[in-house]
Structures are given as structure tokens and as C-alpha cells.
Amino acid sequence: MECVRDASQGTRQARTAFGGRPVATAVVTWTLVGINVVLFLVELAKPSLGNDWGLLGYAPFSTGGPVQGIAAGQWYRLITSAFLPPATGLGGLGFLDILFNMWALIVVGTQS
């Protein structure tokens, strides 16, 4: 037994492609994918959600106008905007955007 223990001390620990420890399941990755897909579907049903939860919202371009977004104390926009796709609807790149972003998240997220 001592021979096996002494021999294993010099063995390098297994690491992923990005230097993390290998795990059996990628719970965080699949949770993020689920949140993104659900919010994409919700935004399809209610397109105004992009302006309500997006980073910028309706920002007036006139001087002296009302302050909008984070400057008005809407700090939740820092987090919610990360989960909203930039283009709404199936026209434009909304569907392809969510598809490729989730593919990239699964490929990279399960490896780290």
C-alpha cells in the first residue's frame, strides 16, 4: 500500500481545457441556458420587456429630460440585460442569436 500511495503523490491532478476541475454535471451552465431560453420566449410574447429590462431602455436624447435606466437607480438592469437577446422576434437575428449563444455557452461552460 505504501508503494501505491508514494507513487500517486507525483501524479498531476486532472484539469479541463480551461484549467478547472472536471465535474460530472454542469449545473450552472444548464441553469444559465434555461434562464436565457425562458427569457427569450417571454420576450417573444412581450416585446416591450427588452425596453423594460434592457440596459438602456428608452433614453431621451434631449438635455434636461428625465433620467432613465441605471442613472435613475434601476440597478437590476445590470443583471437582466445580460439575459436578454439584442434583437426581438423571429425576424432579424433573434432566433439565431439565442441559438448560437447557447451553443457557445454549452461548449465552453461544460469544459470549464
Side-chain angles (χ1 to χ4, degrees):
M1 281 303 241
E2 291 180 30
C3 293
V4 173
R5 185 178 24 196
D6 291 339
S8 67
Q9 287 179 353
T11 306
R12 293 173 50 188
Q13 296 295 322
R15 295 286 178 189
T16 64
F18 296 101
R21 291 185 312 240
V23 294
T25 59
V27 176
V28 174
T29 300
W30 289 107
T31 303
L32 288 174
V33 168
I35 290 170
N36 279 291
V37 169
V38 166
L39 281 177
F40 176 74
L41 295 174
V42 168
E43 192 175 10
L44 279 177
K46 185 179 179 193
S48 66
L49 186 70
N51 291 318
D52 295 341
W53 287 4
L55 190 60
L56 298 177
Y58 286 120
F61 292 110
S62 62
T63 42
V67 179
Q68 294 287 329
I70 299 168
Q74 299 170 347
W75 296 103
Y76 63 89
R77 290 179 182 260
L78 289 171
I79 295 172
T80 56
S81 65
F83 293 100
L84 295 174
T88 58
L90 294 176
L93 293 177
F95 182 71
L96 289 176
D97 180 61
I98 193 80
L99 178 74
F100 286 121
N101 283 345
M102 294 308 100
W103 174 75
L105 180 61
I106 291 168
V107 168
V108 174
T110 55
Q111 297 298 317
S112 54

XYZ file of all heavy atoms in Angstrom:
831
model
N 0.810 -1.188 0.000
C 0.000 0.000 0.000
C 0.858 1.258 0.000
O 0.480 2.246 -0.616
C -0.929 0.020 1.211
C -2.139 -0.856 1.057
S -3.039 -0.379 -0.387
C -4.556 0.093 0.284
N 1.947 1.244 0.688
C 2.800 2.423 0.732
C 3.380 2.735 -0.640
O 3.547 3.894 -0.987
C 3.917 2.223 1.750
C 3.419 2.212 3.179
C 4.545 2.005 4.159
O 5.685 2.422 3.866
O 4.292 1.430 5.217
N 3.636 1.704 -1.425
C 4.195 1.919 -2.761
C 3.192 2.663 -3.638
O 3.557 3.569 -4.379
C 4.542 0.582 -3.426
S 5.882 -0.290 -2.614
N 1.921 2.277 -3.557
C 0.891 2.928 -4.362
C 0.705 4.370 -3.920
O 0.604 5.291 -4.745
C -0.441 2.138 -4.257
C -1.558 2.880 -4.948
C -0.269 0.745 -4.816
N 0.653 4.599 -2.620
C 0.480 5.953 -2.101
C 1.667 6.849 -2.484
O 1.495 7.994 -2.895
C 0.302 5.912 -0.594
C 0.006 7.259 0.010
C -0.198 7.174 1.487
N 0.489 5.963 1.978
C 0.291 5.401 3.141
N -0.540 5.921 3.980
N 0.928 4.319 3.518
N 2.868 6.353 -2.366
C 4.047 7.138 -2.723
C 4.087 7.435 -4.221
O 4.483 8.524 -4.637
C 5.327 6.410 -2.305
C 5.475 6.349 -0.786
O 4.828 7.185 -0.106
O 6.216 5.486 -0.303
N 3.662 6.495 -5.030
C 3.688 6.691 -6.486
C 2.635 7.705 -6.931
O 2.841 8.438 -7.887
C 3.466 5.364 -7.192
N 1.498 7.750 -6.225
C 0.432 8.661 -6.641
C 0.684 10.103 -6.211
O 0.006 11.007 -6.673
C -0.912 8.183 -6.095
O -0.928 8.305 -4.685
N 1.637 10.361 -5.354
C 1.911 11.723 -4.915
C 2.474 12.588 -6.040
O 2.265 13.789 -6.063
C 2.871 11.720 -3.732
C 2.222 11.245 -2.461
C 3.198 11.215 -1.306
O 4.397 11.433 -1.478
N 2.693 10.941 -0.112
N 3.155 11.993 -6.977
C 3.727 12.749 -8.086
C 2.783 12.859 -9.271
O 3.116 13.480 -10.269
N 1.589 12.286 -9.185
C 0.636 12.315 -10.289
C -0.066 13.665 -10.347
O -0.509 14.187 -9.327
C -0.428 11.204 -10.113
O 0.242 9.967 -9.956
C -1.354 11.153 -11.308
N -0.175 14.230 -11.539
C -0.855 15.518 -11.699
C -2.367 15.313 -11.639
O -2.894 14.311 -12.102
C -0.483 16.132 -13.044
C 0.979 16.519 -13.089
C 1.428 16.966 -14.452
N 0.539 17.966 -15.014
C 0.612 18.410 -16.251
N 1.525 17.926 -17.065
N -0.211 19.326 -16.699
N -3.032 16.284 -11.062
C -4.490 16.244 -10.955
C -5.112 16.525 -12.318
O -4.581 17.307 -13.100
C -4.982 17.276 -9.944
C -4.514 17.027 -8.532
C -5.097 15.739 -7.970
O -6.244 15.401 -8.216
N -4.285 15.004 -7.234
N -6.257 15.921 -12.588
C -6.966 16.131 -13.850
C -7.510 17.554 -13.911
O -8.032 18.066 -12.930
C -8.099 15.128 -13.979
N -7.372 18.207 -15.067
C -7.877 19.562 -15.285
C -8.590 19.606 -16.621
O -8.304 18.834 -17.522
C -6.729 20.594 -15.302
C -6.014 20.727 -13.988
C -6.872 21.461 -13.013
N -6.195 21.561 -11.721
C -6.776 22.005 -10.658
N -8.030 22.382 -10.693
N -6.121 22.076 -9.531
N -9.520 20.562 -16.738
C -10.230 20.748 -18.001
C -9.387 21.601 -18.938
O -8.308 22.048 -18.576
C -11.589 21.429 -17.768
O -11.344 22.735 -17.247
C -12.457 20.643 -16.818
N -9.918 21.858 -20.132
C -9.187 22.641 -21.129
C -8.882 24.051 -20.633
O -7.888 24.654 -21.030
C -9.985 22.704 -22.417
N -9.729 24.597 -19.747
C -9.538 25.952 -19.246
C -8.953 25.976 -17.837
O -8.935 27.012 -17.190
C -10.851 26.731 -19.289
C -11.354 26.928 -20.691
C -12.368 26.139 -21.182
C -10.779 27.876 -21.520
C -12.823 26.307 -22.476
C -11.222 28.056 -22.810
C -12.246 27.264 -23.294
N -8.485 24.847 -17.341
C -7.801 24.802 -16.057
C -8.669 24.499 -14.853
O -8.182 24.471 -13.738
N -9.963 24.277 -15.050
C -10.850 23.975 -13.929
C -10.826 22.508 -13.556
O -10.225 21.675 -14.234
N -11.469 22.189 -12.463
C -11.595 20.794 -12.055
C -12.728 20.136 -12.840
O -13.787 20.739 -13.019
C -11.899 20.703 -10.568
C -10.741 21.129 -9.692
C -11.082 20.882 -8.247
N -12.411 21.409 -7.932
C -12.658 22.331 -7.034
N -11.689 22.832 -6.335
N -13.873 22.754 -6.819
N -12.550 18.926 -13.311
C -13.638 18.257 -14.031
C -14.800 17.943 -13.092
O -14.588 17.583 -11.935
C -13.002 16.972 -14.557
C -11.646 16.887 -13.978
C -11.337 18.143 -13.259
N -16.010 18.134 -13.578
C -17.203 17.827 -12.808
C -18.081 16.876 -13.601
O -17.990 16.801 -14.825
C -18.003 19.102 -12.460
C -17.219 19.986 -11.510
C -18.367 19.865 -13.688
N -18.942 16.171 -12.904
C -19.816 15.206 -13.573
C -20.960 15.901 -14.297
O -21.366 15.482 -15.375
C -20.359 14.209 -12.546
N -21.496 16.969 -13.717
C -22.603 17.682 -14.346
C -22.290 19.171 -14.366
O -21.580 19.672 -13.509
C -23.917 17.476 -13.568
O -23.737 17.956 -12.238
C -24.326 16.019 -13.551
N -22.832 19.857 -15.337
C -22.620 21.299 -15.462
C -23.910 22.011 -15.072
O -24.613 22.557 -15.903
C -22.200 21.632 -16.878
N -24.230 22.012 -13.794
C -25.485 22.553 -13.295
C -25.602 24.048 -13.581
O -26.646 24.521 -14.043
C -25.627 22.284 -11.774
C -26.874 22.918 -11.220
C -25.604 20.798 -11.494
N -24.546 24.794 -13.351
C -24.590 26.242 -13.565
C -24.805 26.557 -15.045
O -25.605 27.418 -15.403
C -23.302 26.912 -13.034
C -23.267 28.381 -13.381
C -23.187 26.712 -11.536
N -24.106 25.848 -15.910
C -24.242 26.070 -17.358
C -25.667 25.814 -17.814
O -26.265 26.635 -18.527
C -23.266 25.171 -18.130
O -21.931 25.483 -17.734
C -23.415 25.361 -19.626
N -26.238 24.691 -17.423
C -27.595 24.355 -17.862
C -28.631 25.270 -17.226
O -29.666 25.556 -17.830
C -27.898 22.883 -17.585
C -27.121 22.004 -18.522
C -26.047 21.238 -18.207
C -27.324 21.867 -19.925
N -25.578 20.620 -19.332
C -26.346 20.981 -20.404
C -28.238 22.405 -20.835
C -26.255 20.621 -21.747
C -28.142 22.041 -22.169
C -27.164 21.153 -22.622
N -28.364 25.774 -16.019
C -29.264 26.750 -15.401
C -29.258 28.051 -16.185
O -30.314 28.637 -16.451
C -28.854 26.998 -13.938
O -28.860 25.765 -13.230
C -29.782 27.986 -13.267
N -28.074 28.523 -16.582
C -27.976 29.738 -17.392
C -28.647 29.570 -18.750
O -29.318 30.484 -19.239
C -26.513 30.141 -17.568
C -25.816 30.702 -16.338
C -24.336 30.909 -16.615
C -26.469 31.980 -15.894
N -28.490 28.406 -19.363
C -29.161 28.136 -20.641
C -30.672 28.197 -20.455
O -31.388 28.810 -21.248
C -28.722 26.770 -21.218
C -29.611 26.359 -22.375
C -27.277 26.824 -21.666
N -31.168 27.577 -19.395
C -32.605 27.598 -19.120
C -33.138 29.006 -18.903
O -34.183 29.377 -19.449
N -32.433 29.810 -18.125
C -32.854 31.191 -17.874
C -32.895 31.976 -19.177
O -33.853 32.705 -19.453
C -31.917 31.871 -16.854
C -32.109 31.272 -15.469
C -32.141 33.376 -16.808
C -31.064 31.711 -14.460
N -31.852 31.831 -19.998
C -31.790 32.557 -21.262
C -32.913 32.157 -22.212
O -33.523 33.017 -22.850
C -30.436 32.339 -21.943
C -29.367 33.225 -21.374
O -29.394 34.428 -21.551
N -28.421 32.634 -20.674
N -33.190 30.876 -22.321
C -34.245 30.412 -23.238
C -35.616 30.864 -22.750
O -36.449 31.329 -23.538
C -34.171 28.880 -23.409
C -35.394 28.346 -24.128
C -32.905 28.499 -24.165
N -35.864 30.766 -21.450
C -37.159 31.202 -20.910
C -37.351 32.699 -21.131
O -38.420 33.138 -21.575
C -37.271 30.842 -19.404
C -38.422 31.571 -18.749
C -37.422 29.343 -19.243
N -36.327 33.501 -20.866
C -36.456 34.945 -21.083
C -36.596 35.289 -22.558
O -37.281 36.249 -22.912
C -35.282 35.696 -20.469
C -35.379 35.899 -18.968
C -34.141 36.591 -18.430
C -36.612 36.684 -18.606
N -35.986 34.512 -23.441
C -36.163 34.730 -24.874
C -37.621 34.478 -25.259
O -38.220 35.264 -26.002
C -35.237 33.821 -25.674
C -35.435 33.922 -27.154
C -34.990 35.033 -27.838
C -36.066 32.911 -27.844
C -35.177 35.133 -29.211
C -36.254 33.001 -29.209
C -35.806 34.113 -29.900
N -38.203 33.408 -24.750
C -39.603 33.102 -25.056
C -40.540 34.142 -24.448
O -41.530 34.537 -25.079
C -39.950 31.698 -24.559
C -39.206 30.560 -25.263
C -39.524 29.221 -24.598
C -39.517 30.532 -26.745
N -40.227 34.604 -23.250
C -41.044 35.646 -22.626
C -40.945 36.941 -23.429
O -41.941 37.636 -23.633
C -40.610 35.868 -21.152
C -41.224 37.117 -20.574
C -40.965 34.658 -20.315
N -39.747 37.246 -23.920
C -39.579 38.457 -24.717
C -40.289 38.347 -26.067
O -40.743 39.351 -26.617
C -38.100 38.757 -24.928
C -37.857 40.128 -25.489
C -36.391 40.474 -25.598
O -35.535 39.590 -25.416
O -36.104 41.639 -25.881
N -40.402 37.123 -26.597
C -41.197 36.937 -27.820
C -42.661 37.247 -27.559
O -43.341 37.848 -28.397
C -41.073 35.500 -28.333
C -39.836 35.167 -29.142
C -39.841 33.688 -29.499
C -39.737 36.009 -30.385
N -43.154 36.838 -26.396
C -44.548 37.080 -26.046
C -44.805 38.541 -25.696
O -45.879 39.068 -25.972
C -44.959 36.181 -24.875
N -43.826 39.194 -25.082
C -43.977 40.592 -24.680
C -42.732 41.367 -25.105
O -41.774 41.503 -24.334
C -44.172 40.689 -23.171
C -44.462 42.098 -22.710
C -44.678 42.164 -21.222
C -44.928 43.629 -20.864
N -44.841 43.850 -19.461
N -42.708 41.896 -26.328
C -41.512 42.578 -26.845
C -41.096 43.813 -26.046
O -39.927 44.196 -26.071
C -41.907 42.974 -28.263
C -43.004 42.042 -28.630
C -43.733 41.753 -27.346
N -41.996 44.441 -25.332
C -41.624 45.632 -24.558
C -40.709 45.291 -23.386
O -40.119 46.182 -22.778
C -42.876 46.332 -24.044
O -43.544 45.519 -23.110
N -40.567 44.025 -23.081
C -39.688 43.596 -21.995
C -38.243 44.021 -22.251
O -37.509 44.341 -21.321
C -39.762 42.075 -21.822
C -39.028 41.489 -20.643
C -39.737 41.891 -19.368
C -38.959 39.986 -20.757
N -37.838 44.052 -23.530
C -36.477 44.476 -23.864
C -36.208 45.897 -23.418
O -35.107 46.227 -22.985
N -37.198 46.762 -23.503
C -37.024 48.139 -23.045
C -37.194 48.272 -21.536
O -36.592 49.143 -20.917
C -38.015 49.059 -23.756
C -37.678 49.207 -25.218
O -36.520 49.354 -25.577
N -38.686 49.156 -26.055
N -38.013 47.409 -20.962
C -38.242 47.472 -19.521
C -37.057 46.932 -18.723
O -36.768 47.428 -17.638
C -39.498 46.688 -19.146
C -40.752 47.301 -19.737
O -40.717 48.492 -20.114
O -41.765 46.580 -19.837
N -36.406 45.893 -19.237
C -35.310 45.250 -18.522
C -33.959 45.438 -19.173
O -32.939 45.044 -18.630
C -35.574 43.755 -18.387
C -36.635 43.409 -17.407
C -37.413 44.265 -16.697
C -37.036 42.099 -17.031
N -38.282 43.564 -15.908
C -38.075 42.233 -16.093
C -36.636 40.832 -17.393
C -38.696 41.139 -15.519
C -37.260 39.747 -16.824
C -38.279 39.901 -15.893
N -33.914 46.010 -20.372
C -32.647 46.204 -21.081
C -31.751 47.204 -20.393
O -32.167 47.948 -19.496
N -30.509 47.253 -20.820
C -29.535 48.127 -20.177
C -29.869 49.595 -20.381
O -29.761 50.393 -19.462
C -28.135 47.833 -20.715
C -26.976 48.492 -19.986
C -26.941 48.065 -18.524
C -25.678 48.128 -20.652
N -30.298 49.967 -21.579
C -30.553 51.377 -21.854
C -32.018 51.764 -21.744
O -32.336 52.840 -21.274
C -30.040 51.736 -23.253
C -28.537 51.572 -23.440
C -28.158 51.869 -24.872
C -27.784 52.463 -22.487
N -32.915 50.941 -22.206
C -34.326 51.293 -22.190
C -34.599 52.450 -23.126
O -33.951 52.604 -24.156
N -35.576 53.271 -22.814
C -35.874 54.464 -23.602
C -35.116 55.638 -23.011
O -35.544 56.253 -22.046
C -37.374 54.769 -23.583
C -38.190 53.835 -24.418
C -39.193 53.063 -23.864
C -37.969 53.733 -25.780
C -39.953 52.209 -24.638
C -38.720 52.878 -26.564
C -39.711 52.127 -25.987
O -40.444 51.280 -26.764
N -33.986 55.944 -23.557
C -33.192 57.068 -23.062
C -33.491 58.297 -23.911
O -33.332 58.258 -25.121
C -31.712 56.737 -23.121
N -33.928 59.385 -23.296
C -34.202 60.602 -24.071
C -32.896 61.264 -24.513
O -31.895 61.222 -23.803
C -34.955 61.488 -23.089
C -34.502 61.028 -21.752
C -34.216 59.552 -21.887
N -32.916 61.840 -25.689
C -31.717 62.491 -26.207
C -31.735 64.000 -25.990
O -30.870 64.697 -26.446
C -31.552 62.183 -27.703
C -31.237 60.741 -27.952
C -32.163 59.909 -28.536
C -30.009 60.210 -27.586
C -31.870 58.583 -28.768
C -29.711 58.879 -27.812
C -30.651 58.055 -28.407
N -32.735 64.494 -25.309
C -32.800 65.934 -25.061
C -32.155 66.272 -23.715
O -32.208 65.493 -22.775
C -34.258 66.398 -25.064
O -34.970 65.758 -24.030
N -31.551 67.426 -23.651
C -30.950 67.850 -22.387
C -32.046 68.263 -21.416
O -33.035 68.878 -21.795
C -29.991 69.031 -22.614
O -30.586 69.944 -23.524
C -28.666 68.578 -23.121
N -31.868 67.892 -20.196
C -32.826 68.246 -19.171
C -34.018 67.307 -19.103
O -34.936 67.523 -18.323
N -34.022 66.238 -19.914
C -35.119 65.277 -19.896
C -35.020 64.366 -18.682
O -34.052 64.412 -17.918
N -36.025 63.518 -18.488
C -35.983 62.616 -17.337
C -34.864 61.581 -17.481
O -34.551 61.146 -18.575
C -37.360 61.945 -17.366
C -37.804 62.054 -18.781
C -37.216 63.317 -19.303
N -34.255 61.240 -16.363
C -33.172 60.254 -16.346
C -33.792 58.862 -16.414
O -34.794 58.577 -15.753
C -32.332 60.422 -15.063
C -31.234 59.404 -15.004
C -31.760 61.820 -14.988
N -33.214 57.993 -17.223
C -33.712 56.633 -17.391
C -32.616 55.626 -17.061
O -31.443 55.953 -17.069
C -34.168 56.401 -18.839
C -35.359 57.204 -19.260
C -36.637 56.691 -18.639
O -36.780 55.503 -18.369
N -37.566 57.574 -18.387
N -33.013 54.402 -16.827
C -32.068 53.299 -16.675
C -31.311 53.316 -15.362
O -31.828 53.678 -14.313
N -30.048 52.923 -15.437
C -29.215 52.775 -14.251
C -29.016 54.116 -13.546
O -28.962 54.184 -12.326
C -27.864 52.144 -14.632
C -28.120 50.754 -15.222
C -26.950 52.028 -13.439
C -26.934 50.149 -15.885
N -28.944 55.194 -14.325
C -28.772 56.522 -13.730
C -29.952 56.909 -12.857
O -29.830 57.721 -11.941
C -28.571 57.567 -14.820
N -31.122 56.311 -13.122
C -32.314 56.596 -12.334
C -32.453 55.632 -11.160
O -33.478 55.619 -10.485
C -33.558 56.513 -13.216
N -31.426 54.824 -10.915
C -31.465 53.899 -9.786
C -32.008 52.523 -10.122
O -32.283 51.731 -9.227
N -32.162 52.202 -11.393
C -32.672 50.889 -11.799
C -31.496 49.922 -11.967
O -31.156 49.498 -13.058
C -33.470 51.029 -13.098
C -34.661 51.937 -12.949
C -35.311 52.279 -14.274
O -34.769 52.041 -15.342
N -36.497 52.848 -14.201
N -30.893 49.542 -10.847
C -29.689 48.713 -10.843
C -29.933 47.307 -11.370
O -28.996 46.635 -11.806
C -29.115 48.647 -9.429
C -28.669 49.981 -8.956
C -29.327 50.794 -8.070
C -27.516 50.689 -9.362
N -28.639 51.971 -7.899
C -27.512 51.930 -8.691
C -26.472 50.417 -10.245
C -26.512 52.864 -8.853
C -25.480 51.361 -10.404
C -25.504 52.555 -9.716
N -31.169 46.821 -11.334
C -31.487 45.482 -11.831
C -31.139 45.346 -13.308
O -30.890 44.256 -13.805
C -32.968 45.160 -11.615
C -33.902 46.069 -12.374
C -34.290 45.752 -13.664
C -34.387 47.238 -11.804
C -35.147 46.591 -14.373
C -35.238 48.070 -12.493
C -35.613 47.747 -13.778
O -36.458 48.565 -14.476
N -31.083 46.462 -14.048
C -30.785 46.422 -15.476
C -29.378 45.899 -15.759
O -29.119 45.381 -16.839
C -30.945 47.806 -16.095
C -32.385 48.261 -16.179
C -32.460 49.652 -16.779
N -33.812 50.158 -16.841
C -34.562 50.139 -17.941
N -34.091 49.627 -19.048
N -35.777 50.633 -17.919
N -28.459 46.010 -14.803
C -27.118 45.471 -14.985
C -27.133 43.949 -15.125
O -26.320 43.374 -15.844
C -26.215 45.874 -13.811
C -25.814 47.340 -13.740
C -25.114 47.623 -12.425
C -24.926 47.698 -14.908
N -28.052 43.293 -14.444
C -28.133 41.833 -14.489
C -29.113 41.360 -15.555
O -28.806 40.472 -16.341
C -28.522 41.280 -13.107
C -27.406 41.600 -12.108
C -28.777 39.779 -13.163
C -27.728 41.298 -10.696
N -30.300 41.958 -15.592
C -31.321 41.478 -16.527
C -30.930 41.688 -17.984
O -31.302 40.886 -18.839
C -32.677 42.162 -16.270
O -32.512 43.586 -16.352
C -33.228 41.787 -14.908
N -30.155 42.724 -18.278
C -29.757 42.966 -19.669
C -28.822 41.877 -20.190
O -28.745 41.645 -21.394
C -29.093 44.327 -19.796
O -27.894 44.357 -19.066
N -28.124 41.198 -19.295
C -27.227 40.126 -19.721
C -27.988 38.910 -20.234
O -27.442 38.108 -20.995
C -26.331 39.708 -18.565
N -29.241 38.777 -19.856
C -30.023 37.612 -20.256
C -30.976 37.885 -21.409
O -31.648 36.974 -21.869
C -30.822 37.077 -19.057
C -29.941 36.515 -17.986
C -29.651 37.258 -16.865
C -29.395 35.260 -18.108
C -28.832 36.755 -15.871
C -28.574 34.745 -17.138
C -28.292 35.495 -16.016
N -31.056 39.127 -21.864
C -31.968 39.461 -22.953
C -31.229 39.508 -24.276
O -30.187 40.154 -24.382
C -32.638 40.815 -22.700
C -33.556 40.874 -21.495
C -34.034 42.299 -21.285
C -34.736 39.953 -21.682
N -31.745 38.836 -25.309
C -31.101 38.932 -26.621
C -31.315 40.326 -27.207
O -32.319 40.974 -26.921
C -31.814 37.868 -27.453
C -33.099 37.638 -26.773
C -32.886 37.940 -25.320
N -30.373 40.816 -28.020
C -30.486 42.175 -28.543
C -31.613 42.364 -29.540
O -32.184 43.437 -29.627
C -29.134 42.432 -29.195
C -28.580 41.089 -29.465
C -29.145 40.182 -28.423
N -31.936 41.365 -30.325
C -32.994 41.504 -31.327
C -34.187 40.659 -30.920
O -34.055 39.497 -30.556
C -32.491 41.050 -32.686
N -35.363 41.255 -30.949
C -36.554 40.511 -30.552
C -37.222 39.912 -31.775
O -37.045 40.363 -32.889
C -37.556 41.420 -29.828
O -37.898 42.486 -30.706
C -36.972 41.974 -28.552
N -38.002 38.896 -31.529
C -38.779 38.281 -32.599
C -37.977 37.292 -33.416
O -36.786 37.126 -33.258
N -38.669 36.601 -34.319
C -38.010 35.630 -35.175
C -37.459 36.272 -36.437
O -36.695 35.668 -37.160
C -38.982 34.499 -35.532
C -39.401 33.644 -34.340
C -40.428 32.617 -34.765
C -38.212 32.958 -33.712
N -37.852 37.508 -36.722
C -37.221 38.241 -37.804
C -35.894 38.764 -37.295
O -35.623 38.779 -36.114
N -35.023 39.192 -38.151
C -33.720 39.662 -37.691
C -32.879 38.496 -37.212
O -32.962 37.396 -37.727
N -32.092 38.711 -36.189
C -31.191 37.666 -35.699
C -31.577 37.142 -34.323
O -30.766 36.484 -33.680
C -29.760 38.199 -35.653
C -29.139 38.513 -37.008
C -27.754 39.112 -36.815
C -29.053 37.280 -37.864
N -32.774 37.421 -33.841
C -33.167 36.998 -32.505
C -33.035 35.510 -32.273
O -32.424 35.061 -31.309
N -33.568 34.702 -33.186
C -33.529 33.249 -33.016
C -32.103 32.722 -33.190
O -31.644 31.900 -32.403
C -34.483 32.582 -34.013
C -34.532 31.096 -33.866
C -35.145 30.518 -32.775
C -33.943 30.273 -34.805
C -35.185 29.140 -32.625
C -33.973 28.901 -34.670
C -34.603 28.333 -33.578
N -31.394 33.201 -34.211
C -30.016 32.745 -34.421
C -29.102 33.221 -33.292
O -28.187 32.507 -32.900
C -29.488 33.245 -35.763
C -30.092 32.580 -36.993
C -29.564 33.238 -38.256
C -29.792 31.105 -37.008
N -29.358 34.397 -32.773
C -28.553 34.921 -31.677
C -28.652 34.019 -30.454
O -27.633 33.630 -29.882
C -29.009 36.340 -31.337
C -28.200 36.939 -30.206
O -26.972 37.069 -30.366
O -28.793 37.270 -29.172
N -29.854 33.674 -30.065
C -30.025 32.821 -28.883
C -29.483 31.412 -29.152
O -28.864 30.797 -28.285
C -31.504 32.798 -28.401
C -31.615 32.179 -27.004
C -32.394 32.039 -29.338
C -31.271 33.087 -25.907
N -29.664 30.915 -30.367
C -29.188 29.580 -30.719
C -27.665 29.492 -30.616
O -27.121 28.607 -29.943
C -29.649 29.215 -32.133
C -29.187 27.866 -32.640
C -29.977 26.763 -31.947
C -29.370 27.782 -34.141
N -26.959 30.420 -31.255
C -25.501 30.368 -31.231
C -24.925 30.735 -29.872
O -23.905 30.183 -29.450
C -24.913 31.258 -32.327
C -25.058 30.655 -33.695
C -25.744 31.321 -34.685
C -24.518 29.410 -33.987
C -25.899 30.772 -35.941
C -24.659 28.845 -35.238
C -25.345 29.526 -36.226
N -25.549 31.659 -29.159
C -25.070 31.992 -27.821
C -25.205 30.816 -26.867
O -24.310 30.543 -26.063
C -25.806 33.207 -27.260
C -25.325 34.508 -27.836
O -24.270 34.577 -28.451
N -26.105 35.556 -27.656
N -26.316 30.092 -26.944
C -26.500 28.945 -26.058
C -25.589 27.786 -26.452
O -25.085 27.059 -25.603
C -27.968 28.491 -26.038
C -28.905 29.518 -25.424
S -28.402 30.103 -23.796
C -27.634 31.664 -24.179
N -25.347 27.634 -27.754
C -24.395 26.612 -28.207
C -23.007 26.918 -27.646
O -22.336 26.033 -27.112
C -24.377 26.559 -29.738
C -23.327 25.651 -30.281
C -23.333 24.292 -30.310
C -22.077 26.053 -30.848
N -22.172 23.827 -30.867
C -21.383 24.886 -31.209
C -21.490 27.290 -31.085
C -20.133 24.916 -31.789
C -20.243 27.323 -31.671
C -19.573 26.145 -32.021
N -22.582 28.184 -27.746
C -21.266 28.568 -27.238
C -21.199 28.395 -25.714
O -20.190 27.947 -25.172
C -20.955 30.011 -27.611
N -22.285 28.720 -25.019
C -22.318 28.565 -23.567
C -22.189 27.100 -23.168
O -21.467 26.764 -22.236
C -23.606 29.166 -22.994
C -23.797 29.083 -21.491
C -22.694 29.827 -20.768
C -25.148 29.628 -21.103
N -22.864 26.221 -23.904
C -22.782 24.793 -23.594
C -21.387 24.256 -23.881
O -20.824 23.501 -23.089
C -23.864 24.020 -24.381
C -25.237 24.362 -23.845
C -23.613 22.518 -24.303
C -26.381 23.893 -24.716
N -20.791 24.649 -25.002
C -19.456 24.159 -25.367
C -18.425 24.632 -24.356
O -17.624 23.845 -23.858
C -19.087 24.603 -26.799
C -17.609 24.372 -27.075
C -19.942 23.875 -27.814
N -18.435 25.918 -24.033
C -17.422 26.458 -23.127
C -17.766 26.161 -21.672
O -16.905 25.814 -20.879
C -17.267 27.989 -23.342
C -16.337 28.593 -22.314
C -16.749 28.253 -24.746
N -19.046 26.264 -21.320
C -19.449 26.082 -19.928
C -19.251 24.687 -19.393
O -18.941 24.506 -18.212
N -19.403 23.692 -20.230
C -19.215 22.326 -19.753
C -17.741 21.944 -19.683
O -17.398 20.931 -19.096
C -19.956 21.318 -20.651
O -19.529 21.490 -22.004
C -21.454 21.509 -20.555
N -16.861 22.742 -20.271
C -15.432 22.458 -20.267
C -14.671 23.175 -19.162
O -13.529 22.883 -18.913
C -14.816 22.852 -21.620
C -15.362 22.074 -22.778
C -15.059 20.598 -22.640
O -13.976 20.193 -22.282
N -16.060 19.777 -22.927
N -15.302 24.169 -18.546
C -14.549 24.953 -17.557
C -14.793 24.501 -16.151
O -15.563 23.724 -15.810
C -14.886 26.417 -17.683
O -16.264 26.626 -17.608
